[in-house]
Amino acid sequence: IGVTERPTTPQSLQSIFEIELQDDTGKRIILSNLIGHVTAILFVNPYVTNQVDVTEKTISAYKPAEVSFILITPNSQALRSYLPSPTDNVSIVQHDYDGLKKLFGVPDCCERRFVFDTKGALKYDDYYVEDLIPRLNLLAKQNLPQLPFALIDSLNSLTAGHLSSVR
């Protein structure tokens, strides 16, 4: 792993930096090459059901071109057994798990998630506190649809009953 910058606290990690990772298939990933894509780096413990479930839900909410996911885990084989076959936008990294936790400022006790925008700037990080999908939507799906006009038309068509008085 080649590193040119060594963030050691979440406060000092403000953008994607130059680091080379190796996924569990042997493929090399240079994080700075992901600039241009919304990127989520998720530290995932495969033995914590909530983390695996939330990770699976988050990944399945996006097409491969929308978000790149880097899953960093202490046991890639265990994590793969819980997730459907990853697509091209998902890389699972086990190599140097402890070193990567230190590099990203992740405490030994926990796992964290980091979201970077298309310019490589850190936009969000947490300890699996909330649903990540709305935050990724702000970055990956800029043109979210407004309230469907069909719903508005349906409400406007009500002329009798309790709903018409609410309208």
Side-chain angles (χ1 to χ4, degrees):
I1 295 178
V3 179
T4 59
E5 180 182 346
R6 289 198 169 270
T8 55
T9 66
Q11 294 77 25
S12 64
L13 176 65
Q14 294 303 312
S15 63
I16 287 181
F17 48 94
E18 187 70 31
I19 181 174
E20 183 176 309
L21 305 174
Q22 180 178 336
D23 77 5
D24 65 342
T25 67
K27 177 182 159 192
R28 299 211 177 272
I29 304 156
I30 299 173
L31 281 187
S32 60
N33 287 350
L34 296 174
I35 292 174
H37 301 277
V38 174
T39 302
I41 298 175
L42 314 176
F43 285 80
V44 185
N45 184 334
Y47 306 110
V48 177
T49 305
N50 178 55
Q51 289 180 18
V52 174
D53 291 348
V54 166
T55 299
E56 180 180 12
K57 175 185 168 194
T58 303
I59 291 170
S60 66
Y62 297 95
K63 296 175 186 168
E66 292 175 324
V67 179
S68 294
F69 292 95
I70 307 291
L71 310 180
I72 302 174
T73 183
N75 188 332
S76 63
Q77 189 174 18
L79 183 59
R80 280 189 184 277
S81 72
Y82 296 118
L83 297 176
S85 295
T87 54
D88 290 341
N89 66 321
V90 179
S91 298
I92 300 176
V93 175
Q94 177 181 322
H95 181 72
D96 196 24
Y97 175 75
D98 292 330
L100 291 171
K101 281 188 89 165
K102 287 179 186 159
L103 184 67
F104 279 86
V106 179
D108 291 339
C109 68
C110 319
E111 281 72 38
R112 291 188 71 160
R113 305 179 298 180
F114 301 87
V115 175
F116 299 89
D117 67 10
T118 57
K119 295 178 182 175
L122 179 65
K123 291 299 179 182
Y124 180 73
D125 65 278
D126 79 346
Y127 289 97
Y128 288 84
V129 174
E130 63 182 50
D131 187 356
L132 199 56
I133 293 172
R135 293 194 180 268
L136 287 169
N137 280 344
L138 290 174
L139 300 171
K141 297 180 178 180
Q142 296 295 332
N143 298 320
L144 295 176
Q146 296 180 358
L147 184 61
F149 292 110
L151 176 60
I152 294 170
D153 291 344
S154 296
L155 290 173
N156 287 336
S157 71
L158 298 173
T159 58
H162 295 294
L163 288 178
S164 68
S165 62
V166 171
R167 180 184 57 101

